[in-house]
Amino acid sequence: PNFKRQELPLLYKNDFIEALERFPSHKPVLVDEKRSYFAAEILEKSINLASSLKTKGFQVEDRVVIAAEAGVEFIISIYACMMLKAQVAIIDPEMGRANYEAKLLQFAPKWAIVDNRLLFLREHPILRWCYFKMGDTKPYFPPTPHVQIISTGPSLPILQKTLTFSQLTQKSSRFFWHKAEDYPFLIVHTSGTLDIPKGVLHSL
């Protein structure tokens, strides 16, 4: 079929994405304890995630909170959010659970990229009680009504229905690129020394 440009969804490019495109495809950009990841692979999976979320109804400037382990899934999520022109929040659990939940409520995300271990934890009260006995600053992701969850990390028997990161990154739908102008992209809430922690807003 002949597709008209305006009928296909847009993904957004910026300097970070173009730098990843130019990076030699045979050189690793991330090495962890298991394997090396190459620029072409990260770019492909980021595009797949972004285009898959577009088909799920993702809109420009939708808000996304990321509660995932630092690693390749986190990096792919950041690139995909750039391609979607999302607004992203990362909230430091070291602020304590009450502050974490307050900042999450304030941000009011529509989407959340969450490690499966955190989702598993909130479905098992006894395990959660034991976990919290180890300290108030342990990572935890509270129940979030009306937020679409994208689950990452190790496979676990989660009762809640989620979109699965591994499935969303498998293939891409058709799309067109559009160059993104600078815009407010990332809010980072860190612990610091204030009683009421404030976020730092970063543009591209």
Side-chain angles (χ1 to χ4, degrees):
N2 294 320
F3 290 92
K4 294 181 180 179
R5 186 181 184 90
Q6 61 268 28
E7 293 175 347
L8 292 177
L10 293 177
L11 296 184
Y12 295 85
K13 277 192 178 182
N14 58 42
D15 293 343
F16 293 103
I17 294 165
E18 290 174 351
L20 186 62
E21 287 179 318
R22 292 192 300 267
F23 198 84
S25 60
H26 63 282
K27 288 187 177 180
V29 293
L30 175 67
V31 179
D32 65 18
E33 58 187 13
K34 295 179 181 179
R35 53 166 291 197
S36 298
Y37 298 90
F38 299 89
E41 177 184 8
I42 290 177
L43 181 64
E44 179 186 14
K45 288 187 177 294
S46 300
I47 291 171
N48 291 352
L49 177 58
S51 67
S52 294
L53 289 177
K54 272 286 190 180
T55 66
K56 302 292 184 184
F58 200 106
Q59 301 293 317
V60 169
E61 296 184 359
D62 273 0
R63 293 183 171 188
V64 182
V65 64
I66 300 180
E69 188 177 38
V72 68
E73 291 180 330
F74 180 90
I75 291 172
I76 290 168
S77 297
I78 288 290
Y79 276 114
C81 286
M82 287 180 179
M83 295 173 186
L84 291 163
K85 205 174 179 181
Q87 294 187 350
V88 179
I90 300 171
I91 308 171
D92 183 2
E94 290 291 330
M95 295 190 302
R97 203 158 67 250
N99 279 325
Y100 189 101
E101 293 182 6
K103 295 307 174 188
L104 184 63
L105 182 65
Q106 181 186 56
F107 185 63
K110 187 173 180 180
W111 308 80
I113 301 173
V114 186
D115 191 290
N116 266 321
R117 288 166 290 190
L118 300 180
L119 299 175
F120 185 79
L121 185 66
R122 72 184 192 180
E123 293 181 358
H124 296 274
I126 295 175
L127 178 62
R128 188 167 64 248
W129 181 84
C130 296
Y131 179 75
F132 287 153
K133 291 291 284 184
M134 294 186 288
D136 183 57
T137 60
K138 302 293 287 181
Y140 178 65
F141 194 79
T144 48
H146 314 300
V147 176
Q148 178 63 67
I149 301 291
I150 301 157
S151 57
T152 72
S155 179
L156 291 170
I158 305 299
L159 298 177
Q160 179 184 358
K161 186 177 181 180
T162 68
L163 298 173
T164 306
F165 186 92
S166 58
Q167 293 177 341
L168 293 173
T169 54
Q170 288 303 308
K171 61 180 181 179
S172 173
S173 303
R174 291 174 62 93
F175 64 91
F176 279 107
W177 284 117
H178 184 77
K179 182 71 174 183
E181 301 296 331
D182 196 20
Y183 72 98
F185 171 64
L186 179 66
I187 299 172
V188 181
H189 291 282
T190 56
S191 49
T193 57
L194 300 174
D195 290 335
I196 304 176
K198 294 181 171 62
V200 178
L201 176 62
H202 301 271
S203 70
L204 286 178

